[in-house]
């Protein structure tokens, strides 16, 4: 079991460029989510999915796009990168649709450090 | 005001001390998570609570739903416990809300 795999680990973009952050899990988890982590702030939810074909917005969705064509993959697309998107991005998955289930811990990827110049 | 407040923001203690980290939240929730973020950046889930108390090794987590408060305790602290501890709550609809974390440093 690889768990949650995020790629790349580091990325530098110029303003206006687009790119895709990859997230894959091999645990057959229904729930997958993307967060950004900025200094002095908690993790903030960007987008999430409760199953293949289903996505929804989180707290800070602007400038990001997601799709969930398979259970395993949940890529995050930056449409036109801006310096405000400089951050560390985490993908996480869980085994149940409803995170309040008793045995649904979150599994995190190792993060992607993105710098937009 | 943040929906999730953690205290203290920073905590430095000597090895062996009993550690308490607090989390208060302002909304009704169905579950609360405690996470650990290592200095290298990786995040690990420690506990998920909806009521009462859970224990895993030297870690104990408690929650009081009526008071909207949770605590994470570490007994016999060790330098390897040095990390950022993050509280997250689930108000509704699968959208977790996170605290800003407590940075714990244990000195040998």
């Amino acid at each position: 079991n690889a768990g949650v795999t995020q790629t790349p680990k580091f990325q530098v973009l110029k303003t206006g460029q687009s790119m895709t952050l990859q997230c894959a899990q091999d645990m057959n988890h229904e729930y997958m989510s993307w967060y950004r982590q900025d200094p002095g702030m908690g993790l903030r939810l960007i987008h999430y999915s409760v199953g293949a074909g289903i996505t929804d917005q989180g707290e800070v969705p602007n400038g990001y796009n997601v799709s969930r064509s398979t259970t395993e993959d949940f890529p995050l697309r930056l449409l036109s990168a801006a310096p405000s998107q400089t951050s560390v991005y985490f993908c996480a998955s869980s085994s149940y649709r409803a995170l309040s289930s008793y045995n649904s811990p979150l599994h995190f990827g190792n993060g992607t450090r993105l710098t937009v110049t | 005001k943040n929906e999730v407040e953690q205290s203290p923001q920073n905590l430095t203690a000597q090895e062996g001390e009993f550690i308490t980290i607090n989390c208060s939240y302002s909304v009704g929730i169905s579950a609360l998570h405690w996470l650990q973020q290592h200095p290298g950046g990786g995040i690990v889930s420690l506990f998920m609570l909806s009521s009462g108390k859970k224990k895993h090794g030297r870690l104990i987590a408690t929650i009081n739903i009526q008071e909207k408060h949770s605590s994470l305790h570490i007994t016999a602290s060790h330098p390897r416990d040095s990390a950022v501890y993050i509280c997250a709550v689930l108000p509704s609809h699968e959208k977790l809300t996170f605290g800003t974390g407590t940075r714990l440093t244990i000195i040998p």
Side-chain angles (χ1 to χ4, degrees), chain A residues 16-58:
Chain A
Q17 288 183 317
S18 62
M19 79 157 295
T20 299
L21 278 62
Q22 301 291 346
C23 176
Q25 52 88 13
D26 60 0
M27 297 171 280
N28 202 32
H29 285 171
E30 298 97 335
Y31 182 88
M32 296 186 74
S33 51
W34 277 102
Y35 304 89
R36 58 178 289 173
Q37 186 176 42
D38 300 296
M41 305 186 74
L43 288 153
R44 291 183 292 168
L45 179 66
I46 304 171
H47 285 284
Y48 69 100
S49 168
V50 296
I54 306 168
T55 63
D56 205 349
Q57 295 182 349

Side-chain angles (χ1 to χ4, degrees), chain A residues 77-91:
Chain A
R77 281 179 281 277
L78 277 70
L79 308 172
S80 177
S84 60
Q85 294 179 304
T86 294
S87 188
V88 181
Y89 291 85
F90 287 95
C91 176

Side-chain angles (χ1 to χ4, degrees), chain A residues 31 37 57 97 101 106, chain B residues 37 48 93-96 98:
Chain A
Y31 182 88
Q37 186 176 42
Q57 295 182 349
R97 281 175 171 260
S101 173
L106 282 169
Chain B
Q37 186 167 24
M48 201 188 80
H93 303 299
E94 297 95 13
K95 293 185 180 181
L96 281 166
F98 294 80

Side-chain angles (χ1 to χ4, degrees), chain B residues 85-105:
Chain B
Y85 292 84
I86 301 169
C87 169
V89 301
L90 187 69
S92 65
H93 303 299
E94 297 95 13
K95 293 185 180 181
L96 281 166
T97 302
F98 294 80
T100 55
T102 294
R103 185 175 299 276
L104 174 65
T105 304

